[in-house]
Amino acid sequence: MTHNAIQRLLLKRFALAAGTYALALVLLWLAFFTGHYDQPLTNVAVGSALVVISQAALFAMFYSGCNLKCADPSLTEVQVLMGLGWQTWLIANLDEARGSFLVFYVLILLFGLFHLSRRAFLRCTLMVFFSFSAITLWEGYHFQLTDPALAALQVCVLFIVLVWLELYARYVQASRQRMRQRRFALQAHQDTLRGMMRQLEDLVATDELTGLFNRRHFLRLASRELNTMDADVVHGLALIDLDHFKRINDIHGHAAGDQVLQAFAAVASACLREGDVLARYGGEEFVVLLPDCNPERLTSCCERLRIAFTDVELIGLKVGNLSLSAGMTLLELGDDLDDALQRADQALYRAKRDGRNRCAAAWENVDA
């Protein structure tokens, strides 16, 4: 998730907590007007104002992004401890309605159930129990409890609820840890699977011997280029055949032929620019697609390939003079790829018929 997305999520959580504070304040004033809150109006107003100020300060931290500088950007433990402090202050000033407001302890702890660590959650539960017990003992010591048996029962009930929350929090956190580990394991499996899929795609698209694209992948790429080309753009297409390749295989063996194919692939890849497409079309035949090309550039590129290939020297192998023949054509908008390949093939046939080791263009006059 991005920082903005995380911050929006934290603001939503804060809004939920602020809404809980608003509900508590409504109940506080309701308890005051019904006579269950034993404090003057001034104390109630000041306490309510301090609660609002504390929430405004937290909102300012979230809104300004200062919370992102903290170890815990959610400020969960801070909010929980602050909420428990205000709740304890409220409980200390209630009389018969004290038991009804104990539920807010549970709400505050549930706010941190999924985000606090085990130790932090235990600290918060201990703070709740000892705070409420201290209030009860203080009032009991000063004989201020109207019903000591009810107060003792409230302490026992709170203790049982806190123990249950602590055990449930451990269960939830252990479950989240297991789910996190499974998610990481699943992510690792997905990454492995994606890597294998990429390898399979490479195997499907690549000629194993030369490392170039194979015929199927070239036809897919060329068709896509034709479908997306602009009206004023022309592509160059050339079929290249290595001369006397069968004789090399017959005299020197197929291993030597494979070495010649690999040498051409290396030379041709070095001569082409980024964006040009080179593929093994089949056997000793290769195909080149030059996007955004013109006749002069296509001819220059094929001649450069031809000359570079004639200068190749194979290590540990003497196969005589290497050469190639090329048939060139141009692709325009609306052109059919099969027709263009047929034109290039006819030009290639003419280059071989005229003596090989040359480049012939489909736009040239055949009778010239």
Side-chain angles (χ1 to χ4, degrees):
M1 295 179 66
T2 62
H3 286 299
N4 290 335
I6 293 175
Q7 195 70 345
R8 286 195 298 269
L9 179 60
L10 295 180
L11 279 170
K12 289 180 180 179
R13 290 184 65 241
F14 169 76
L16 177 63
T20 306
Y21 274 103
L23 177 61
L25 287 178
V26 170
L27 293 177
L28 168 63
W29 283 93
L30 182 61
F32 172 77
F33 286 117
T34 56
H36 292 91
Y37 190 79
D38 188 19
Q39 287 292 321
L41 177 61
T42 304
N43 290 358
V44 179
V46 171
S48 300
L50 290 176
V51 170
V52 173
I53 291 173
S54 65
Q55 294 307 294
L58 284 174
F59 175 76
M61 289 192 66
F62 284 113
Y63 188 78
S64 64
C66 294
N67 61 304
L68 297 175
K69 300 177 182 179
C70 302
D72 177 19
S74 67
L75 302 178
T76 300
E77 187 171 2
V78 173
Q79 294 186 72
V80 169
L81 292 176
M82 185 181 296
L84 294 178
W86 287 119
Q87 171 68 4
T88 301
W89 169 78
L90 175 61
I91 288 290
N93 293 285
L94 290 171
D95 44 26
E96 292 87 354
R98 180 173 296 174
S100 302
F101 279 77
L102 286 178
V103 67
F104 280 98
Y105 276 132
V106 178
L107 291 178
I108 296 169
L109 290 174
L110 287 176
F111 180 79
L113 180 65
F114 295 98
H115 298 277
L116 292 179
S117 64
R118 290 183 178 181
R119 291 185 178 181
F121 193 83
L122 179 59
R123 286 196 299 268
C124 293
T125 55
L126 290 176
M127 176 182 173
V128 170
F129 179 73
F130 287 117
S131 298
F132 185 78
S133 299
I135 293 173
T136 303
L137 290 174
W138 175 266
E139 293 183 350
Y141 180 76
H142 291 86
F143 302 101
Q144 297 176 358
L145 291 176
T146 56
D147 191 345
L150 178 60
L153 179 61
Q154 290 173 346
V155 172
C156 293
V157 170
L158 181 62
F159 176 77
I160 292 173
V161 171
L162 293 176
V163 170
W164 184 89
L165 276 175
E166 175 63 25
L167 294 176
Y168 184 67
R170 288 179 178 271
Y171 169 76
V172 169
Q173 290 167 357
S175 299
R176 291 189 67 199
Q177 182 65 24
R178 287 194 298 269
M179 291 182 64
R180 186 180 295 111
Q181 292 173 351
R182 291 173 183 174
R183 185 170 66 251
F184 289 156
L186 179 60
Q187 183 66 40
H189 289 317
Q190 290 176 341
D191 292 341
T192 302
L193 182 60
R194 280 193 288 267
M196 294 174 64
M197 289 296 295
R198 285 193 293 269
Q199 291 178 358
L200 288 175
E201 291 174 356
D202 292 341
L203 289 175
V204 171
T206 306
D207 174 66
E208 183 178 2
L209 178 63
T210 61
L212 303 176
F213 292 137
N214 56 26
R215 177 173 181 163
R216 177 185 299 177
H217 191 63
F218 171 80
L219 293 176
R220 187 183 302 116
L221 292 177
S223 298
R224 188 171 62 192
E225 286 289 341
L226 277 176
N227 292 332
T228 58
M229 67 186 302
D230 298 327
D232 56 343
V233 174
V234 176
H235 294 341
L237 180 70
L239 281 176
I240 298 173
D241 188 86
L242 307 187
D243 297 331
H244 306 297
F245 185 76
K246 185 177 182 302
R247 185 173 63 188
I248 295 175
N249 276 337
D250 293 340
I251 296 176
H252 302 281
H254 289 282
D258 291 346
Q259 190 174 349
V260 171
L261 293 174
Q262 292 170 340
F264 171 79
V267 168
S269 298
C271 290
L272 296 176
R273 66 178 182 178
E274 184 179 359
D276 297 339
V277 181
L278 172 66
R280 186 181 180 187
Y281 201 62
E284 71 275 17
E285 201 168 39
F286 298 83
V287 61
V288 179
L289 177 67
L290 278 65
D292 194 9
C293 190
N294 54 46
E296 293 76 17
R297 182 177 174 277
L298 178 59
T299 302
S300 174
C301 178
C302 291
E303 284 293 337
R304 187 166 63 251
L305 285 176
R306 184 185 66 81
I307 295 172
F309 186 61
T310 59
D311 294 336
V312 169
E313 294 183 2
L314 301 176
I315 300 176
L317 184 64
K318 295 183 179 181
V319 296
N321 295 327
L322 296 174
S323 64
L324 60 82
S325 301
M328 305 174 295
T329 189
L330 296 175
L331 282 169
E332 299 178 352
L333 183 65
D335 210 344
D336 183 76
L337 181 59
D338 291 335
D339 293 342
L341 288 170
Q342 183 65 28
R343 294 197 303 269
D345 187 64
Q346 292 174 356
L348 174 61
Y349 174 77
R350 191 167 71 252
K352 286 185 170 294
R353 186 191 62 189
D354 293 344
R356 294 185 172 86
N357 193 21
R358 66 189 66 240
C359 300
W363 59 82
E364 294 176 344
N365 190 347
V366 177
D367 298 328

